[in-house]
Amino acid sequence: MVTNDESMNRFKHNIMEQVCRLEWDGKNDPEHIEELILKIIPGPKPSYRCCVYKEREIVRQRIRLAQAKNPSYNPDSENIVQVIDPACDECPISAYSVTDNCRFCMGKACLNSCKFGAITPGDTHMHIDPAKCKECGMCANACPYNAIVHLERPCKKACPVGAITYDEYGYCKIDEDKCIQCGHCIHSCPFAAIGSKTFLVDIIKEIKAGKEVIAMCAPATEGQFGEDISMASIKEGLKKIGFADMVEVGLGGDMTAAYESEEWTEAFEKGHKMTTSCCPAFINMLKKHFPDQYRDNMSSTVSPMCAISRYLKATRPGCVTVFVGPCIAKKSEAQDKSIPGNADYVVTYGELRALMRSKDIKFEPVSDEYQESSIWGKRFATSGGVANAVIECMQERGVDTSQLKLLRAAGGAECKKALTLLKVGKLPEDFVEGMVCPGGCVGGPSRHKHYTEITKARETLLSKADDRKVLENLKNYPMDKFSMHRDGHM
């Protein structure tokens, strides 16, 4: 997992690993949890922050997240993304601040530009009262010395939908009516004050109960762990943990592309514009910020994750499905009760690594080969990959796509702009592929390595895939046994 602070990254994952070890050993109870807290923060001196007691409270709340619980002070929240209040107290509250570059000039352009009385002369330079400042930025624009800076907090800067605000004490607050669960704020915070609920304990319980727990690895998985770790390597490693099997979700990409292409063909003939339905953060953006477009323009086809989960539940009744990928928002999709048959649990790559360490297991290169997806399904994870797969299916059916116009929106800002144009009727393209993460799922917030490193290893692995066609590949699977519509109707 990639974060702004490697040491905090290790800190978070160590807590997950230790909680998993307790669950494997049947010791995940309050007494052993308290022992774990003292083991991680023994004291008497603090290890990370200013106070050993604050550190222990942060660990206590992180353990709750590792157990798929809310922080103790936010018990009724339904959000996947949560703020750990004790960790969120080091960022400046003031959005605009005066630096030492201020010359205390006679013109006082900053004071004259402020319409809210927030600026007053100090002893040596101007002063901005954060209680009165409306963050309009006029003072910063007016200062001839560029002495006023905008100190935008990293979590707020990372949020594409303005869901983050602050209370009077400076604690980060997430507006759950706006939050699209993309998780970008999590990895932008240098104090690791934002996290997501983790379902590793529940997965361990399912495995220990003897249930058939099947992992579903996202198309973005290839390349995450280097060019020597193929999908076959990952399948073997997951079986060592206790998973009954693993299926690549690139196959679900084939399924989604096949059905979404039928929708696109019909919509194109009618002159109706459509959006894709794979990226859960994009869907959450539609649902919460563009409800009319969610109702009228979104594809009704399920995501590849849901497609594979329904396929497994139809062919292996009673199984438990676990999606593995770089996406935080997939956790919210799995909990969406309006989409029956979806994944039971979702884990990120960092969480998976913590689970593996709790059993002292590592991924190892293997000579076996494993492929269930076409190359088109495998490339669902990159920006443009969904649209390219859909067009491939249209062409395999003999549809002329030469006049079709596509907008491949990658990143929150691009998605928001595309949906705004669609809303006001000024979108020139016929279809929008929306991915809130820049570069697509491969650039997801919980990717395991740097995007460039992943991409290089990924291309090496994908070059070994065969050239099977999408529709030809799906003839090997019982597509009539489960629904590909979001509401579950056949």
Side-chain angles (χ1 to χ4, degrees):
M1 190 182 295
V2 179
T3 69
N4 283 343
D5 192 321
E6 186 178 348
S7 63
M8 292 309 298
N9 186 27
R10 291 195 299 269
F11 173 69
K12 293 187 294 185
H13 291 143
N14 178 50
I15 293 173
M16 292 182 202
E17 176 189 340
Q18 297 305 322
V19 170
C20 287
R21 288 183 183 274
L22 289 180
E23 186 60 39
W24 287 120
D25 294 338
K27 298 178 179 179
N28 189 16
D29 55 66
E31 180 181 351
H32 287 95
I33 289 297
E34 288 302 314
E35 290 179 3
L36 175 60
I37 293 170
L38 294 177
K39 175 183 175 182
I40 295 174
I41 307 295
K45 294 183 178 180
S47 303
Y48 298 96
R49 305 176 75 88
C50 62
C51 172
V52 68
Y53 302 106
K54 175 178 284 190
E55 288 183 351
R56 288 173 181 167
E57 181 59 24
I58 292 170
V59 171
R60 182 173 287 106
Q61 299 305 325
R62 281 218 157 270
I63 288 174
R64 290 184 64 84
L65 289 181
Q67 296 171 326
K69 298 177 182 178
N70 291 327
S72 55
Y73 36 77
N74 196 23
D76 300 325
S77 172
E78 295 184 358
N79 231 43
I80 288 295
V81 180
Q82 294 287 329
V83 179
I84 301 170
D85 281 0
C88 178
D89 64 352
E90 299 292 341
C91 292
I93 298 177
S94 303
Y96 284 88
S97 296
V98 181
T99 70
D100 290 339
N101 285 346
C102 176
R103 311 319 302 156
F104 216 29
C105 58
M106 293 179 63
K108 295 182 173 49
C110 58
L111 187 151
N112 296 328
S113 69
C114 182
K115 302 181 184 301
F116 308 103
I119 300 181
T120 54
D123 294 334
T124 57
H125 56 66
M126 304 303 287
H127 172 72
I128 298 177
D129 183 348
K132 295 181 180 179
C133 178
K134 304 300 181 183
E135 302 184 20
C136 66
M138 294 298 292
C139 58
N141 293 332
C143 178
Y145 292 102
N146 297 318
I148 301 177
V149 294
H150 186 200
L151 300 175
E152 190 173 15
R153 290 167 75 161
C155 55
K156 186 174 183 179
K157 185 177 182 179
C159 181
V161 291
I164 291 182
T165 55
Y166 309 101
D167 64 14
E168 64 270 29
Y169 304 107
Y171 290 142
C172 170
K173 296 298 176 186
I174 298 175
D175 185 338
E176 296 183 16
D177 292 331
K178 293 181 178 180
C179 178
I180 61 174
Q181 315 266 18
C182 64
H184 290 176
C185 57
I186 293 175
H187 300 299
S188 71
C189 177
F191 295 101
I194 308 177
S196 68
K197 297 175 189 175
T198 302
F199 300 92
L200 298 178
V201 168
D202 295 312
I203 294 168
I204 293 171
K205 287 179 179 178
E206 302 278 26
I207 293 173
K208 290 175 67 177
K211 295 184 180 179
E212 186 181 26
V213 183
I214 304 175
M216 309 181 298
C217 285
T221 304
E222 286 181 278
Q224 293 286 338
F225 306 103
E227 61 184 41
D228 295 329
I229 304 301
S230 64
M231 280 296 207
S233 301
I234 293 167
K235 175 179 279 197
E236 183 174 292
L238 290 171
K239 285 184 175 181
K240 289 179 181 178
I241 295 175
F243 287 92
D245 201 357
M246 186 276 278
V247 178
E248 64 169 327
V249 178
L251 171 61
D254 287 346
M255 295 173 177
T256 296
Y259 281 78
E260 202 159 89
S261 65
E262 293 179 344
E263 287 189 279
W264 280 28
T265 300
E266 183 179 348
F268 186 58
E269 290 173 352
K270 295 179 179 179
H272 181 66
K273 300 180 186 295
M274 285 188 63
T275 74
T276 54
S277 59
C278 296
C279 172
F282 180 69
I283 300 309
N284 289 340
M285 182 182 287
L286 271 164
K287 188 184 298 184
K288 294 185 177 184
H289 299 270
F290 299 89
D292 291 341
Q293 287 63 51
Y294 172 78
R295 182 188 66 246
D296 299 333
N297 302 101
M298 191 187 74
S299 165
S300 66
T301 303
V302 296
S303 71
M305 174 180 83
C306 183
I308 291 298
S309 181
R310 287 182 179 176
Y311 155 66
L312 290 172
K313 290 175 184 291
T315 56
R316 301 166 80 162
C319 72
V320 176
T321 55
V322 179
F323 178 83
V324 180
C327 183
I328 298 294
K330 280 294 183 186
K331 296 182 181 184
S332 70
E333 180 188 334
Q335 294 192 338
D336 187 344
K337 292 180 174 55
S338 69
I339 311 174
N342 214 332
D344 294 300
Y345 304 105
V346 171
V347 299
T348 65
Y349 296 130
E351 293 163 5
L352 175 62
R353 297 280 289 185
L355 180 61
M356 294 176 69
R357 287 194 299 273
S358 74
K359 294 276 283 185
D360 299 315
I361 294 169
K362 296 180 179 180
F363 286 134
E364 301 288 348
V366 299
S367 57
D368 299 340
E369 294 183 0
Y370 166 73
Q371 180 180 345
E372 288 195 73
S373 163
S374 74
I375 190 64
W376 303 97
K378 289 176 177 288
R379 291 195 181 277
F380 250 57
T382 54
S383 178
V386 177
N388 293 341
V390 173
I391 292 174
E392 166 66 17
C393 289
M394 294 172 75
Q395 292 174 347
E396 287 182 20
R397 290 193 176 98
V399 178
D400 180 10
T401 61
S402 60
Q403 301 302 312
L404 191 148
K405 296 179 181 178
L406 283 172
L407 176 59
R408 298 172 175 86
E414 286 191 18
C415 289
K416 191 173 182 179
K417 178 181 177 182
L419 294 178
T420 301
L421 290 172
L422 179 61
K423 180 179 180 178
V424 299
K426 294 186 177 181
L427 181 74
E429 291 83 7
D430 302 302
F431 303 103
V432 178
E433 179 202 84
M435 291 188 173
V436 170
C437 293
C441 304
V442 175
S446 293
R447 63 190 184 274
H448 183 59
K449 295 184 178 181
H450 190 275
Y451 179 80
T452 304
E453 190 176 359
I454 295 169
T455 302
K456 182 180 178 181
R458 179 176 173 77
E459 288 305 313
T460 299
L461 289 166
L462 294 186
S463 66
K464 300 174 183 178
D466 61 38
D467 59 354
R468 68 184 72 179
K469 295 293 186 180
V470 177
L471 301 183
E472 175 189 348
N473 188 41
L474 293 183
K475 291 179 181 179
N476 300 313
Y477 299 91
M479 300 303 298
D480 60 335
K481 299 295 185 183
F482 56 95
S483 172
M484 285 295 294
H485 298 284
R486 289 175 68 84
D487 61 6
H489 77 271
M490 294 296 291

